[in-house]
Amino acid sequence: QVRFVESGGGLVQSGGSLRLSCQASGFSFETSIMKWYRQALGRERELVATISINGRGIDYVPSVKGRFTISRDNVKNTLYLQMDNLKPEDTAVYFCNAPRFPTYWGQGTQVTVSS
C-alpha cells in the first residue's frame, strides 16, 4: 500500500540547518510529482515545496525561497528537504505527499526552531 515515512526533524537553534527525508513505497515514485507540506500547531497544513518527476521543475512557498532546497532520488524512492537558515516560524510538523494520493499521509517529522 501507499506509504510515506518522514524523518530527520529535531530541535535546532535559529539559523541552523536540518535535512528531512521521506521514504516512499507502494507506488511508482519515479513517475510521481512530490511535495513537502508543514503544519504548525493550531494552523492548517501548508504547502512548502514541489518537485517534478525528473527534478527539474521546482517551486517553493515565498517564505522559504532561498533557504530550503527540495530534491529527490528516484532510485532510492526518497524525497529530501534541505532546510538552512531556519527561523522560529519554520517550527511545524513536516509531511511529504504525492498529489495523486491525497488521502495518504505519514506521521510527519517535528521541526522545532528556537530563537
Side-chain angles (χ1 to χ4, degrees), residues 84-101:
D84 298 316
N85 191 21
L86 282 160
K87 303 177 181 181
E89 51 263 43
D90 295 318
T91 294
V93 180
Y94 285 71
F95 303 87
C96 66
N97 183 258
R100 57 201 279 204
F101 302 110

Side-chain angles (χ1 to χ4, degrees), residues 33-34 50-59 70 72:
I33 293 170
M34 293 297 299
T50 302
I51 188 167
S52 65
I53 292 169
N54 62 10
R56 293 182 192 145
I58 288 176
D59 193 30
I70 188 172
R72 64 190 297 162

